[in-house]
Amino acid sequence: MNSHTRYEQRVVWSVVGTDIGPLLLAATPHGLVNVVFHASDAVRDKALDRLASRLGGELVEAPESPLLAEAIRQVEAYFAGERQDFDLPLDWSLISGFNRQVLRELHSGVPFGSVVAYGDLAGRVGEPRAAQAVGVAMGSNPLPVVVPCHRVVESDGGIGGFGGGLETKRKLLALEGVLPEPLF
């Protein structure tokens, strides 16, 4: 294997502290590929094992790598209230089909400070009766926060579910001004 091939199979990762707890960020040469909530040592190790089995190649902790350094900078700016969107290359290889289509629409079409109902998002991708499938797509989002699944809510005004936990979803929506800040 030559060094170019080895580089292409390399996945770099780092854990960054945020107001919602530690986030694992992982990237391939194609872009940010995974964001994992609550990245304690055990969660981090499980996520890295999953990435290794799905993507192959070498996993290296490298917060100084150019893509991760920029992702970390943007995540920190977002949580500091200094950034409203992310300008990062994304590697969509962990998701496909309908789920990818829904997440791409969410990423490009639901800006900071706004929300969309599951059914409305389904309609945007041409499947107006697929609200539950949109919920499944949100639950399989490999890039939460950056691809803002926290902005998807129930049509009746309910907050809906969230893989990172409802308290995390509330904090993210409060950060974006959609909900009031939690009192405690």
Side-chain angles (χ1 to χ4, degrees):
M1 175 184 304
N2 66 37
S3 62
H4 179 70
T5 304
R6 188 173 19 244
Y7 172 73
E8 286 189 348
Q9 293 179 349
R10 187 172 174 213
V11 177
V12 293
W13 65 273
S14 184
V15 174
V16 61
T18 72
D19 292 346
I20 58 169
L23 294 178
L24 168 73
L25 305 178
T28 69
H30 304 290
L32 191 66
V33 72
N34 203 200
V35 176
V36 178
F37 289 116
H38 315 299
S40 64
D41 290 349
V43 169
R44 178 202 66 211
D45 292 347
K46 185 176 179 181
L48 292 173
D49 287 346
R50 196 170 46 249
L51 279 173
S53 70
R54 299 256 337 254
L55 299 174
E58 178 184 19
L59 276 75
V60 177
E61 184 174 14
E64 72 289 346
S65 73
L67 180 60
L68 277 184
E70 181 59 18
I72 290 167
R73 187 186 70 71
Q74 289 188 28
V75 164
E76 289 172 343
Y78 171 81
F79 282 102
E82 300 165 356
R83 181 171 202 92
Q84 295 186 349
D85 54 8
F86 295 92
D87 183 21
L88 298 166
L90 301 177
D91 180 339
W92 295 92
S93 64
L94 293 178
I95 195 128
S96 62
F98 178 78
N99 291 356
R100 182 186 288 189
Q101 183 182 6
V102 168
L103 291 171
R104 283 181 175 264
E105 174 58 30
L106 174 65
H107 182 252
S108 65
V110 183
F112 181 94
S114 64
V115 294
V116 64
Y118 292 93
D120 292 339
L121 189 54
R124 289 185 187 192
V125 297
E127 299 290 340
R129 296 175 191 233
Q132 285 184 317
V134 166
V136 171
M138 296 305 102
S140 64
N141 181 4
L143 295 161
V145 180
V146 176
V147 177
C149 52
H150 59 277
R151 296 180 189 154
V152 184
V153 297
E154 296 173 347
S155 60
D156 65 2
I159 195 169
F162 194 62
L166 291 181
E167 187 57 31
T168 299
K169 185 171 187 173
R170 284 185 189 97
K171 286 180 179 179
L172 289 167
L173 290 172
L175 174 71
E176 295 190 9
V178 175
L179 292 176
E181 288 287 338
L183 296 175
F184 45 88

